[in-house]
Amino acid sequence: MPRSEAMEGSMRAPAFAANIVSEWRAGNRSGLARLLIVVLAVLATATFVTSIMTGAADASLSNVVHWLAGAEGADQALSVRDRIIILDIRLPRAVLGLLVGAALAVSGVVMQGLFRNPLADPGLVGVSSGASLGAVLLIVLGSSVFGPLFALVGFYALPVAAFFGGLATTLLLYRIATRGGQTSVATMLLAGIALGALTGAVTGVLVFIADDKQLRDLTFWGLGSLAGANWTKILAAAPIILMSLAVVPFLARGLNAITLGEAAAFHMGIPVQRLKNIAILSVAAATGASVAVSGGIGFVGIVVPHLLRLVIGPDHRYLLPASALLGGTMLIFADMVARTIVSPAELPIGIITAFVGAPFFLWILLRGRSNMGL
């Protein structure tokens, strides 16, 4: 490379960084947001690969990469046991963590945009509890009551049941919390607590009448876990989650407009009712599929969006993809902590997210209570 071109390239990076800083100070965060999305994509990839390597099996980065790439001699680099551990345990676990983390974080962004407040979260306002109830109903009552559903959708029955449970809870919550086109934060939180308690009570009755085998299947619902990840669960949940994640970017403009109020959004040409319908269906589908395969994992949908808003602002064009990347990365990292901190035992991942998320939620509540009328 000629010396002049090298010098020009070395000067371009500081100029680019200076331009981003000047735009950020002027209130334009789009450049910073695009840069952050690239950084988060690299971080998600690094965390994903690290998760595959982390564990009791001896698998170095080079051996895993060569084996996954099918390089010559890679079969001798990893034992049969290690290959089974990586392919059938760690890889599906990392894929499921990425999908579930992205789904929960994006669902939090959409709910916060729809309700126009930073406290909305699928786990906090009872949506995850409703999805859990739908899944538990299917597990306990099984083919005796839901035989036609099993016959119609096969192994998709559990995500479908969780989807309808989450959808019913979301619709009921929105109806209770919204009056005259305005959504009350206090009403939403109190209604979410009440709905969560009600669905928890019904779930408790179902657990009480469940047999020993069903109780073992229901153990992970309380705190959430990725320990049961396998390719069958991914095949059941991934299409629903990916479809929801593919739809929500098209809602970005409408969610930006609705922050000004539903009336203002309507006068800006946004089909508000259709936007709300699609948003509610997307949240219910993503949350339901996530709960069906991982149980109730809380606070991802409130921590991730708020952290990103502090950096890149409230523009949903950038907030949605950034939240998907950071949510998946955080859940994979939390899963690595959960399965190594008390090794050889395993801590439920919901404990890790609650330890981080609960104080963070209190901080948000105390920081913004004067603006929220609480």
Side-chain angles (χ1 to χ4, degrees), residues 47-88:
T47 308
F48 186 89
V49 175
T50 305
S51 175
I52 296 175
M53 295 188 305
T54 303
D58 183 17
S60 66
L61 174 60
S62 60
N63 289 344
V64 171
V65 172
H66 287 162
W67 179 66
L68 290 176
E72 184 178 354
D75 289 342
Q76 286 73 34
L78 289 175
S79 66
V80 175
R81 179 182 68 90
D82 289 349
R83 275 180 272 171
I84 292 174
I85 289 173
I86 291 170
L87 187 61
D88 294 334

Side-chain angles (χ1 to χ4, degrees), residues 274-290:
R274 187 174 67 181
L275 172 71
K276 291 191 291 186
N277 293 340
I278 296 174
I280 288 173
L281 285 172
S282 299
V283 168
T287 304
S290 299

Side-chain angles (χ1 to χ4, degrees), residues 106 110-111 113-114 244-258 270-272 274-283 316-317 320:
V106 169
V110 173
M111 288 196 72
L114 188 65
S244 300
L245 295 179
V247 168
V248 291
F250 296 98
L251 306 178
R253 178 173 172 266
L255 291 173
N256 285 340
I258 211 169
I270 302 297
V272 175
R274 187 174 67 181
L275 172 71
K276 291 191 291 186
N277 293 340
I278 296 174
I280 288 173
L281 285 172
S282 299
V283 168
H316 289 85
R317 294 176 301 169
L320 288 167

Side-chain angles (χ1 to χ4, degrees), residues 89-228:
I89 298 177
R90 292 186 189 172
L91 189 57
R93 190 164 181 155
V95 171
L96 193 64
L98 189 64
L99 288 172
V100 171
L104 294 177
V106 169
S107 296
V109 173
V110 173
M111 288 196 72
Q112 289 157 23
L114 188 65
F115 284 101
R116 299 191 295 282
N117 73 82
L119 300 180
D121 168 68
L124 187 65
V125 297
V127 178
S128 294
S129 299
S132 295
L133 176 58
V136 171
L137 273 170
L138 189 71
I139 292 172
V140 174
L141 300 182
S143 57
S144 60
V145 176
F146 297 101
L149 182 62
F150 276 110
L152 181 63
V153 296
F155 60 79
Y156 287 100
L158 193 61
V160 168
F163 162 71
F164 281 110
L167 177 63
T169 308
T170 307
L171 291 173
L172 185 58
L173 177 69
Y174 190 82
R175 179 61 63 89
I176 293 173
T178 303
R179 176 175 295 180
Q182 298 295 322
T183 301
S184 168
V185 178
T187 303
M188 180 199 68
L189 290 175
L190 293 174
I193 292 171
L195 289 174
L198 180 60
T199 55
V202 178
T203 301
V205 172
L206 292 169
V207 170
F208 179 77
I209 65 175
D211 57 33
D212 290 340
K213 180 180 181 303
Q214 291 168 343
L215 283 174
R216 285 194 297 271
D217 293 336
L218 294 171
T219 300
F220 79 101
W221 289 104
L223 293 172
S225 175
L226 299 178

